[in-house]
Amino acid sequence: MSDATEPWLIVGLGNPGPDYAANRHNVGFMVADLLAERIGGKFKRAQKAQAQVVEGRMGPPGPENRRVILAKPMSYMNLSGGPVTALRDFYKVPTDHIVAIHDELDIDYGTLRLKLGGGDNGHNGLKSMTKSMGADYHRVRFGIGRPPGRMQVADFVLKDFSSTERKELAYLVDRAADSVECLLAEGLERAQSAYNS
């Protein structure tokens, strides 16, 4: 069992580069960017992994204050496991102190679900992480809903949020960032009861 002094690795999943920046599949990056802003850090290239990282502390002063490494793998979504495992090993982070923030097709847009472990539900980023290090990490699942009509899933996740969705996006990203802070400070059950909708 890990203790309160061990660091947390918070991973926003997405694809690198400006062409993907506003895609549904990149909502993990959006949440990670906001968390970096909140702790007053800027992403820099990691020494030991194909990723960008920010190190800092999260939470109120006192026992709930946590050392965190925020990360955005720069390997493309379906290869996320390699960089995440390299960061886990370098920073000596227990697997249950890793949080993956990702888009989730099977949940309505804007709905959040936090959980520990479980399957990948066809998500290539999770599939790669689980293959590299097992499934016992936390997930913050950000609902994007299913594609309309006959649109292929791959096309849907690689499209930008619609203009209607964008009206709420900043608020929803903010709420997802809050849920990560709550998870670290108060534990999974408290975060689930506050944010799982």
Side-chain angles (χ1 to χ4, degrees), residues 6-163:
E6 287 174 307
W8 284 77
L9 175 59
I10 316 291
V11 182
L13 293 180
N15 286 308
D19 292 351
Y20 299 101
N23 289 180
R24 292 182 178 94
H25 221 20
N26 270 43
V27 76
F29 275 18
M30 296 173 198
V31 177
D33 285 337
L34 179 57
L35 287 167
E37 207 177 289
R38 287 184 182 184
I39 66 171
K42 287 213 181 318
F43 277 100
K44 296 184 177 72
R45 202 144 153 212
Q47 297 294 315
K48 304 288 180 187
Q50 194 180 355
Q52 290 185 351
V53 294
V54 176
E55 293 181 59
R57 300 198 77 84
M58 193 178 281
E64 274 85 49
N65 193 262
R66 303 281 183 251
R67 181 176 163 229
V68 295
I69 300 98
L70 297 171
K72 298 192 294 187
M74 292 286 120
S75 56
Y76 290 98
M77 184 67 88
N78 59 350
L79 299 171
S80 302
V84 176
T85 304
L87 291 169
R88 177 199 67 176
D89 295 348
F90 178 69
Y91 289 103
K92 300 182 172 47
V93 180
T95 306
D96 69 348
H97 273 47
I98 296 173
V99 182
I101 308 163
H102 63 92
D103 58 306
E104 178 63 65
L105 285 160
D106 284 339
I107 304 175
D108 290 341
Y109 174 67
T111 300
L112 287 179
R113 296 269 164 76
L114 285 77
K115 68 175 194 169
L116 174 62
D120 57 55
N121 217 11
H123 192 287
N124 289 331
L126 297 182
K127 200 176 286 183
S128 177
M129 282 180 63
T130 298
K131 188 175 174 192
S132 290
M133 60 187 194
D136 295 329
Y137 53 90
H138 289 85
R139 296 102 193 275
V140 173
R141 304 158 73 206
F142 186 110
I144 60 168
R146 283 256 156 210
R150 293 171 177 245
M151 187 189 287
Q152 294 295 312
V153 163
D155 295 333
F156 179 69
V157 298
L158 294 176
K159 278 203 171 10
D160 290 359
F161 285 100
S162 70
S163 55

